[in-house]
Amino acid sequence: MAEVLVYVDHVDGAVRKPTLELLTLARRIGEPVAVALGSGAAGTAAVLAEHGATRVLTHEAADYADYLVVPKVEALEAAVAAVSPVAVLVPSSAEAKEVAARLALRIGSGIITDAVDLEAGDSGPVATQSVFAASFTTKSVVVKGTPVITVKPNSAAVEPAAAAGAVEALDVAFSEKAHGTKVTARTARESTGRPELTEAAIVVSGGRGVNGAENFSVIEALADSLGAAVGASRAAVDAGWYPHSNQVGQTGKSVSPQLYIASGISGAIQHRAGMQTSKTIVAINKDPEAPIFDLVDYGVVGDLFDVVPALTEDVKSRKG
Amino acid sequence: MSLRIVVTVKYVPDATGDRHFADDLTVDRDDVDGLLSELDEYAVEQALQISENSDDDVEITVLTVGPEDAKDALRKALSMGADKAIHVEDDDLHGTDAIGTSLVLAKAIEKAGFDLVVSGMASTDGTAGIVPALVAERLGVPQVTLLSEVAVEGGTVSGRRDGDAASEQLEASLPAVVSVTDQSGEARYPSFKGIMAAKKKPVESWDLSDLGIEAEEVGLEGAWTKVESAAERPARTAGTIVKDEGEGGKQLAEYLAGQKFI
Ligand SMILES: Cc1cc2nc3c(=O)[nH]c(=O)nc-3n(C[C@H](O)[C@H](O)[C@H](O)COP(=O)(O)OP(=O)(O)OC[C@H]3O[C@@H](n4cnc5c(N)ncnc54)[C@H](O)[C@@H]3O)c2cc1C
Ligand SMILES: Cc1cc2nc3c(=O)[nH]c(=O)nc-3n(C[C@H](O)[C@H](O)[C@H](O)COP(=O)(O)OP(=O)(O)OC[C@H]3O[C@@H](n4cnc5c(N)ncnc54)[C@H](O)[C@@H]3O)c2cc1C
């Protein structure tokens, strides 16, 4: 059967959920062969096997952490040469997209970015994209080379499927180009203990209406009562009230949770671009004219400092 | 010493307008006003700051690939303070994909001559965020991308890249391709003086033959990807909106419980 390369996003061997989603999608078009690079790569094999990877190609080298993007491109290039896959699937993280793009160019293939669904077509995979701030849905195909497709988080359910997951060493020789951009320092982001924003089933976000870094505790308390991730608008981030890594929107994260709760957020097009595909949308805003209300399943016109704490109390008492 | 900076800027349909696809499934540019992609304003700004912080003689060229109207994007960048502009325009470019765009940009950058290329993190229409990496690949120079802070000193470019899991400090030798995020610092508004001065600044127009690119390599026919269909997302059905008169939090909790979120 045709093989599909799946690029593994992992941190020291811990596979991130979007990669497991890719394995589900990959099985629609062939047999998944995973490629895991860098420190801890071999440690990814067990979980990848549980999710359908027939083979896991691994290569550990310091170059992946010490230099930007290109070492990974060269490893994937080697994997494509070794496997001759019918498609290459890559999670849509900022770095992985860049890796995918350079790989596509090197192997003479077209690239589709930020797919939200994937199916087998008559002449290769058909990718669905959600574009123009999620106001249009397009279906696209790659017409030259081996389709390289990057897929957004939450585009498929993770489905376990046992497979061999045979670990094989990938042979990689780096060119001089691989060492062009040096990573001279790295500071890991501190974990908050809350769910990862792009993976969470519920996201509670605050905007300019939260009016101060210290007030974000109101948003956090609601998030914690629901087991949710915390998001923020760019206005809140620009004001320094919350970290940029929590920004939802066009230049922040795109989220597509079961439930999105926006408090003190007006609903500008760039914010909507990152949350419009959420299943259920709830907003709390004191301005009845705020554009966010055009999107909501349920909206409360009111002061978030009254509504959010009351909601949090009610959630806590219901959960007992 | 001199430093030649090329800033790539895209002309895009206004995101606050009603964006649509044309019959050939390319972006309908007639229906919505176009403008300089707001994220490329950050690229122009960083180029200007690099110039202002440099002892070298810095020349900033802004480059766009796009239709006739794309000159507006160049004018805006010139009025912010760039020195000159290049407009790559050719009917055969209609419908070019990201791989094709990177080819045209790379050829134009080579022809212009460069030490540093500065791009935005993504366009506000295609939003792929891959063109700078593709241009670096084609030019065979380092990519130092998605920077929220950038500095150029003595033939080296360095900067900070804030990723999901970590924040990284990067460094590469020139020539290089840089892209900057919207965290890199507000872009300046063109002054009246800047707007007047921009009218006198040179704008060169190149077509595909000037760049030695064949028509088959670009455009809708030359694209390595194909859009098969585009459908407008159905509008969301109007939701329930209540006014908080003391019970708003409770009502919302009831709604969430009814939807099984609690
Ligand atoms: C190129 C580009 C990219 C961008 N990318 C993003 C992005 O990724 N994400 C993003 O969010 N934005 C982005 N923006 C910015 C976007 O255009 C808006 O400026 C931003 O989303 C506004 O944030 P906000 O809704 O928090 O603030 P505002 O628009 O100021 O809205 C604040 C809201 O809070 C309400 N409010 C105030 N006080 C209270 C209270 N006590 N109780 C209840 N409600 C209250 C007000 O009625 C108002 O509706 C981008 C802009 C550009 C140009
Ligand atoms: C909704 C939509 C979806 C698309 N999806 C795909 C896809 O999946 N695959 C694909 O191959 N193409 C796709 N395209 C086409 C693609 O957007 C264009 O080819 C475009 O010129 C390059 O990609 P981008 O705008 O996404 O650039 P990005 O990679 O997001 O842009 C990053 C930076 O590159 C520079 N840049 C990009 N384009 C130009 C330009 N024309 N002139 C000057 N500088 C520029 C700017 O500095 C910009 O900030 C899509 C287009 C649209 C409108």
Side-chain angles (χ1 to χ4, degrees), chain A residues 207-209 232-236 247-252 264-268 270-271 284-287 290 302-305, chain B residues 38-39 124 182:
Chain A
R208 203 194 304 268
S233 73
R234 181 165 145 196
Q247 182 179 315
V248 172
Q250 190 193 319
T251 54
I265 292 178
S266 60
Q270 297 89 355
H271 188 78
I284 300 141
N285 195 305
K286 65 182 183 189
D287 174 10
D303 192 318
L304 73 92
F305 294 106
Chain B
E38 280 161 302
L39 293 168
T124 57
D182 55 339

Side-chain angles (χ1 to χ4, degrees), chain B residues 224-245:
Chain B
W224 296 1
T225 51
K226 182 172 188 288
V227 182
E228 294 196 316
S229 68
E232 193 154 10
R233 202 167 191 271
R236 292 184 84 100
T237 44
T240 309
I241 296 180
V242 300
K243 194 169 181 322
D244 176 38
E245 271 150 359

Side-chain angles (χ1 to χ4, degrees), chain A residues 181-194:
Chain A
T181 310
K182 204 169 169 21
V183 179
T184 53
R186 175 177 287 114
T187 321
R189 205 166 292 295
E190 264 178 61
S191 166
T192 59
R194 295 196 177 87

